[in-house]
Amino acid sequence: ILKQAVVTTIPEIAKVIKVTYPTADAAMKLMLQLRIASEVPEHKNPRAFSYREYMRVLSEGTEALTNTSSQHG
């Protein structure tokens, strides 16, 4: 499911892959340990998670934009 959505929650994972919440939670804990996924700090209830590779690709090349905009502000 993380390859289909940039950000997801454990209830969404459980629904899409048709498993119980505890099973989806255990799978997410493993993906966090393996650094496949990361928690999105802004989302607390329910907790949200993102696929690290998507986030890396999406942020690639934006460092220059961030530095430029802060210099002009």
Side-chain angles (χ1 to χ4, degrees), residues 40-61:
V40 178
E42 298 84 27
H43 295 273
K44 292 295 180 193
N45 192 13
R47 291 172 30 214
F49 303 91
S50 67
Y51 182 48
R52 293 177 65 93
E53 185 64 14
Y54 276 171
M55 299 312 288
R56 184 192 64 75
V57 169
L58 289 174
S59 64
E60 204 170 86

Side-chain angles (χ1 to χ4, degrees), residues 6-56:
V6 175
V7 175
T8 192
T9 64
I10 292 173
E12 290 173 346
I13 293 168
K15 180 180 176 182
V16 169
I17 64 173
K18 296 177 175 69
V19 297
T20 64
Y21 182 98
T23 300
D25 186 52
M28 181 52 68
K29 285 178 182 174
L30 180 60
M31 291 194 304
L32 290 169
Q33 289 175 353
L34 295 173
R35 309 185 113 223
I36 295 168
S38 59
E39 190 165 353
V40 178
E42 298 84 27
H43 295 273
K44 292 295 180 193
N45 192 13
R47 291 172 30 214
F49 303 91
S50 67
Y51 182 48
R52 293 177 65 93
E53 185 64 14
Y54 276 171
M55 299 312 288
R56 184 192 64 75

